[in-house]
Amino acid sequence: MGKELYQVVAYIALRNKDGSSMINVPLYVKVSAMNKSGMTETQESVMHRISTIMIKRNEKQLSDYFANATATGAGGLPPARGV
């Protein structure tokens, strides 16, 4: 049996059993053969689709977080200052 190859497709946040956050957890997909970009054409297509989905999900989570922080008056960016 040959060496197994894996490709990182995203970094996600998970929760530990105690409820604390684990951030920047790599999400891997097993790949079988590599082309010059490091994967097969089909796998490359799947990677792009997965990455697009994960980016949209992350953008929504961040948007929801900042909308909630702004609505509750907590967090958010500090006010801009003149130069």
Side-chain angles (χ1 to χ4, degrees), residues 79-83:
R81 296 181 185 221
V83 177

Side-chain angles (χ1 to χ4, degrees), residues 6-14 22-29 50-51 53-59 61-62:
Y6 295 88
Q7 176 71 43
V8 176
V9 294
Y11 289 90
I12 59 175
L14 298 174
M22 293 188 303
I23 57 172
N24 294 328
V25 178
L27 177 63
Y28 292 93
V29 174
I50 291 170
S51 297
I53 291 167
M54 295 302 293
I55 288 168
K56 286 180 182 177
R57 179 176 167 84
N58 187 42
E59 286 173 346
Q61 288 176 331
L62 285 172

Side-chain angles (χ1 to χ4, degrees), residues 3-75:
K3 181 179 173 183
E4 292 184 344
L5 304 170
Y6 295 88
Q7 176 71 43
V8 176
V9 294
Y11 289 90
I12 59 175
L14 298 174
R15 293 216 180 266
N16 288 309
K17 289 181 181 180
D18 66 1
S20 62
S21 295
M22 293 188 303
I23 57 172
N24 294 328
V25 178
L27 177 63
Y28 292 93
V29 174
K30 187 175 180 179
V31 296
S32 56
M34 304 261 184
N35 61 16
K36 67 179 182 177
S37 66
M39 62 192 93
T40 66
E41 296 302 320
T42 301
Q43 291 165 335
E44 190 164 356
S45 174
V46 170
M47 296 294 173
H48 286 289
R49 290 194 338 238
I50 291 170
S51 297
T52 300
I53 291 167
M54 295 302 293
I55 288 168
K56 286 180 182 177
R57 179 176 167 84
N58 187 42
E59 286 173 346
K60 180 172 180 354
Q61 288 176 331
L62 285 172
S63 176
D64 291 348
Y65 170 79
F66 285 115
N68 185 44
T70 301
T72 61

